[in-house]
Amino acid sequence: MPDERASHHKEIVMDAWPTGAAVIADDIVTITLAGLTRTLPTTDLDADRAAVQHHIAAWARHLDRPITVTVTDQDGSWTIAIDPDGATHPRTRRKRR
């Protein structure tokens, strides 16, 4: 019989890594994922958000799972998950037991 604790622990680790953050400022978009940072020039807010979504979705496809990222722009800050197909949805982090 499989050890349920081991699979549960693995699931938490998978959700926690890599951590992602995106900051859309007046003149630059900064995307940080797993310690790697990419900067892009800004265009308009919708295009900047799409660029963040595209970049994180590419990593999600590589890892074959959603990636959680905190996005900050002029409208505020929120945490979302970006799926390998680029779909986004609100995300709350799981609590460790």
Side-chain angles (χ1 to χ4, degrees), residues 22 24 29 31 33 38 40 46-62 67 69 71 80-88:
I24 302 171
V29 177
I31 303 167
L33 184 67
R38 176 158 189 199
L40 307 168
D46 289 336
D48 297 339
R49 288 175 175 168
V52 168
Q53 183 177 357
H54 176 77
H55 184 79
I56 300 297
W59 274 97
R61 282 190 299 277
H62 176 72
I67 293 179
V69 60
V71 180
I80 60 173
I82 300 179
D83 295 331
D85 66 359
T88 62

Side-chain angles (χ1 to χ4, degrees), residues 22-26 28-30 42 45 48-49 52 71-74:
V23 177
I24 302 171
D26 290 333
I28 197 164
V29 177
T30 304
T42 58
L45 187 55
D48 297 339
R49 288 175 175 168
V52 168
V71 180
T72 304
D73 65 25
Q74 65 193 26

Side-chain angles (χ1 to χ4, degrees), residues 3-97:
D3 183 353
E4 291 179 357
R5 290 176 300 160
S7 65
H8 179 70
H9 178 69
K10 182 177 181 182
E11 191 173 312
I12 290 172
V13 171
M14 293 297 286
D15 281 350
W17 187 90
T19 57
V23 177
I24 302 171
D26 290 333
D27 59 348
I28 197 164
V29 177
T30 304
I31 303 167
T32 304
L33 184 67
L36 303 172
T37 299
R38 176 158 189 199
T39 57
L40 307 168
T42 58
T43 53
D44 64 65
L45 187 55
D46 289 336
D48 297 339
R49 288 175 175 168
V52 168
Q53 183 177 357
H54 176 77
H55 184 79
I56 300 297
W59 274 97
R61 282 190 299 277
H62 176 72
L63 297 173
D64 195 31
R65 63 179 177 78
I67 293 179
T68 301
V69 60
T70 300
V71 180
T72 304
D73 65 25
Q74 65 193 26
D75 292 337
S77 181
W78 58 97
T79 301
I80 60 173
I82 300 179
D83 295 331
D85 66 359
T88 62
H89 46 93
R91 184 69 177 230
T92 57
R93 292 189 185 268
R94 294 180 182 175
K95 293 181 182 177
R96 290 184 183 246
R97 293 180 184 181

